[in-house]
Amino acid sequence: MIFERTIRSISFFNEQVTREKRLEANIVQNIEMTKKCAVLIEKMNDILYELMGDLRE
């Protein structure tokens, strides 16, 4: 009985570790994608200013 509980606890812990690793990988991917999006938005903004005439002056 104790052995079975221990096995279940270890199994649950391993599943939690796996979930946390996946979550961490997703967070890292989201951060990288956000950085890429920010660069693209800046480029699009520059293009729009070029097309409309630079109104920032």
Side-chain angles (χ1 to χ4, degrees):
M1 190 69 149
I2 294 174
F3 181 72
E4 290 175 6
R5 286 185 197 164
T6 304
I7 295 295
R8 275 188 254 143
S9 295
I10 291 171
S11 176
F12 178 78
F13 177 75
N14 286 337
E15 289 173 11
Q16 286 297 102
V17 169
T18 301
R19 285 187 193 112
E20 287 176 10
K21 287 180 180 179
R22 271 191 253 137
L23 178 59
E24 187 175 338
N26 284 342
I27 290 170
V28 169
Q29 287 177 338
N30 286 342
I31 290 169
E32 291 304 314
M33 186 60 67
T34 301
K35 288 178 184 176
K36 291 177 183 177
C37 286
V39 169
L40 291 174
I41 289 169
E42 286 179 16
K43 287 180 182 179
M44 287 175 36
N45 198 31
D46 290 341
I47 291 169
L48 288 172
Y49 276 124
E50 285 180 25
L51 292 174
M52 294 172 38
D54 198 345
L55 303 174
R56 293 180 278 191
E57 297 174 351

